Amino acid sequence: MIPRKSHTILVQGITGKQGTFWTKAMQDYGSNVVGGVNPKKAGTEHLGVPVYATARDAAKERPFDISVMFIPPMLAKSAAIDACEAGTKLLVCLTEHIPAHDVMEMHVAAKANGTQIVGPNTAGLVTPGECFVGIMPAFNERVFQPGRVGVISRSGSLGTLVSLNLTQAGMGQSVFYGVGGDPMIGTNSAQALRILDADEKTDAIVLCGEIGGSAEEEAAEYASTMKKPVVAFIAGRQSPPGKKMGHAGAIVAGGKGDYPSKRAALEKAGVAVADTPSALPALLSRHFAAA
């Protein structure tokens, strides 16, 4: 699912410091926030929208398409299950350091209720010129501008840099999809590729990967079947084997998930891999010139 201006959004944890700041930013950008959740402040109003005790209570009065979580790790499972059972189509889980067993239960609840989870540990999603959900700087016009290039990234900071490079090159973005940096995420890079491949507003895709796991190898399998051009950058080229680097999912183990294997898989699938993020616009330009 790609967020659109018409989609309604519920903010879980809306009254906290981060929830307040980013909800206001989302509203100012055009995101259609219809309510929030904080059990201790149910029945009040915050930032012009009603606050409910649970997502299920909110759904009765203010149906929503998307829920975004500004929730601490130990409360994330109950909040996620609440949103899933309330019928949200898309759950954006910003929280990191959620216990692994809790994450497993979240995914079970999502599957049972037909909910797509993005995250945990995602920076969110941006549809430039329309709306954003999460903690990406969509409001910074130097970084995000409407365009025809989709960006998929495990890292929010790397995704921001790549988006900046695309904007500086005059390309902009159709959507930014932050899939998250945890090992057990709800929407992986291959699934995000499928979503952007089906999007009529996306002509090409940049895949921002990193060492660890098998996300890029799985994405390469799908990329080999695509007609839309895909280019990529993989972070962690100089990292030592067996050492976790930043994200919980960025660890090379058992001879798998290292930089050479990821690059080889992508290039075998016809995906051009840039050595630096700043080289990505040039790779895209070659594809567009050849089209």
Side-chain angles (χ1 to χ4, degrees), residues 43 47 103 118 121 131 142 181 201 206 217 222 231 237 270 285:
L47 297 176
V103 176
V118 174
N121 195 12
C131 65
R142 293 176 299 174
K201 297 183 179 181
V206 174
E217 290 89 340
Y222 181 76
V231 300
R237 185 177 185 177
S285 294

Side-chain angles (χ1 to χ4, degrees), residues 91-136:
L91 176 59
V92 180
C93 182
L94 307 170
T95 313
E96 60 178 327
H97 305 306
I98 304 173
H101 196 276
D102 287 2
V103 176
M104 294 170 66
E105 292 190 54
M106 289 164 54
H107 290 318
V108 169
K111 184 176 182 179
N113 291 278
T115 299
Q116 177 195 351
I117 293 181
V118 174
N121 195 12
T122 174
L125 303 95
V126 181
T127 307
E130 287 193 53
C131 65
F132 83 98
V133 185
I135 56 174
M136 289 294 287

Side-chain angles (χ1 to χ4, degrees), residues 137-175:
F139 43 80
N140 189 331
E141 296 181 351
R142 293 176 299 174
V143 178
F144 287 102
Q145 286 287 338
R148 305 285 301 183
V149 179
V151 179
I152 298 169
S153 181
R154 288 165 67 177
S155 163
S157 54
L158 177 58
T160 300
L161 175 59
V162 169
S163 296
L164 172 65
N165 289 330
L166 292 174
T167 294
Q168 290 177 336
M171 294 179 176
Q173 310 82 25
S174 57
V175 61

Side-chain angles (χ1 to χ4, degrees), residues 3-22:
R4 299 296 182 192
K5 199 166 187 176
S6 59
H7 289 142
T8 50
I9 301 168
L10 180 76
V11 180
Q12 295 174 272
I14 190 172
T15 61
K17 183 178 179 181
Q18 294 299 321
T20 296
F21 177 87
W22 288 104

Side-chain angles (χ1 to χ4, degrees), residues 35-240:
V37 174
N38 182 334
K40 295 181 180 180
K41 297 187 178 181
T44 65
E45 189 175 280
H46 189 67
L47 297 176
V49 298
V51 179
Y52 299 91
T54 65
R56 284 167 290 185
D57 289 343
K60 296 174 184 176
E61 294 185 13
R62 296 287 184 98
F64 52 92
D65 302 304
I66 301 170
S67 183
V68 56
M69 292 171 46
F70 291 89
I71 302 292
M74 299 312 294
L75 299 177
K77 181 183 78 171
S78 60
I81 293 174
D82 179 31
C84 292
E85 293 181 346
T88 189
K89 298 173 185 174
L90 177 66
L91 176 59
V92 180
C93 182
L94 307 170
T95 313
E96 60 178 327
H97 305 306
I98 304 173
H101 196 276
D102 287 2
V103 176
M104 294 170 66
E105 292 190 54
M106 289 164 54
H107 290 318
V108 169
K111 184 176 182 179
N113 291 278
T115 299
Q116 177 195 351
I117 293 181
V118 174
N121 195 12
T122 174
L125 303 95
V126 181
T127 307
E130 287 193 53
C131 65
F132 83 98
V133 185
I135 56 174
M136 289 294 287
F139 43 80
N140 189 331
E141 296 181 351
R142 293 176 299 174
V143 178
F144 287 102
Q145 286 287 338
R148 305 285 301 183
V149 179
V151 179
I152 298 169
S153 181
R154 288 165 67 177
S155 163
S157 54
L158 177 58
T160 300
L161 175 59
V162 169
S163 296
L164 172 65
N165 289 330
L166 292 174
T167 294
Q168 290 177 336
M171 294 179 176
Q173 310 82 25
S174 57
V175 61
F176 168 83
Y177 227 93
V179 295
D182 273 14
M184 295 184 289
I185 53 177
T187 304
N188 61 30
S189 297
Q191 291 166 327
L193 266 182
R194 289 184 178 91
I195 292 169
L196 269 60
D197 191 21
D199 179 37
E200 295 180 353
K201 297 183 179 181
T202 298
D203 293 336
I205 299 167
V206 174
L207 180 64
C208 305
E210 58 188 48
I211 60 164
S214 59
E216 291 73 25
E217 290 89 340
E218 293 166 5
E221 290 183 21
Y222 181 76
S224 66
T225 70
M226 293 174 58
K227 293 183 179 179
K228 291 180 181 180
V230 180
V231 300
F233 170 76
I234 306 166
R237 185 177 185 177
Q238 302 299 328
S239 61

